[in-house]
Amino acid sequence: MAVPRIFGITIDSDGARELLNSPEVAEAIRAAAHRVAATADAQGHRVKNKERLPVTVVTEDPTDRVSATVAIAHPAGVGMEARYGLLKRAAEANGFEVTGLDPDEAG
């Protein structure tokens, strides 16, 4: 496989893959997801029966990359995200840039 060159720098693809799939990077990604979930949960949103809106972190066995997903584990989650943008705001509060649909502009 050809090694890409960017601005005269040769990228070690195998080394980058090894680093990105390392236990240390996996732990950093999972810790960031848990911080975002805690920030979203701290907003205190509740569903109709007055229970707290459940915010969860889902991690899966890595395939070609490490990942973690922050989700609202309730049918009302889509509406809550559309109305309040609670996951988007929680991610931004933790230093992440979130792009996509803007709840203020959604039809």
Side-chain angles (χ1 to χ4, degrees), residues 48-106:
K48 285 189 177 186
N49 68 0
K50 307 297 182 205
E51 290 182 15
R52 288 183 78 89
L53 187 68
V55 180
T56 61
V57 174
V58 179
T59 58
E60 299 173 8
D61 291 332
T63 52
D64 64 333
R65 67 195 74 196
V66 175
S67 67
T69 301
V70 181
I72 301 170
H74 190 276
V78 172
M80 290 285 215
E81 182 62 26
R83 183 170 185 169
Y84 303 110
L86 68 122
L87 292 179
K88 177 181 179 183
R89 291 170 199 241
E92 290 173 340
N94 281 275
F96 294 99
E97 180 181 342
V98 180
T99 59
L101 291 177
D102 183 345
D104 297 328
E105 295 178 9

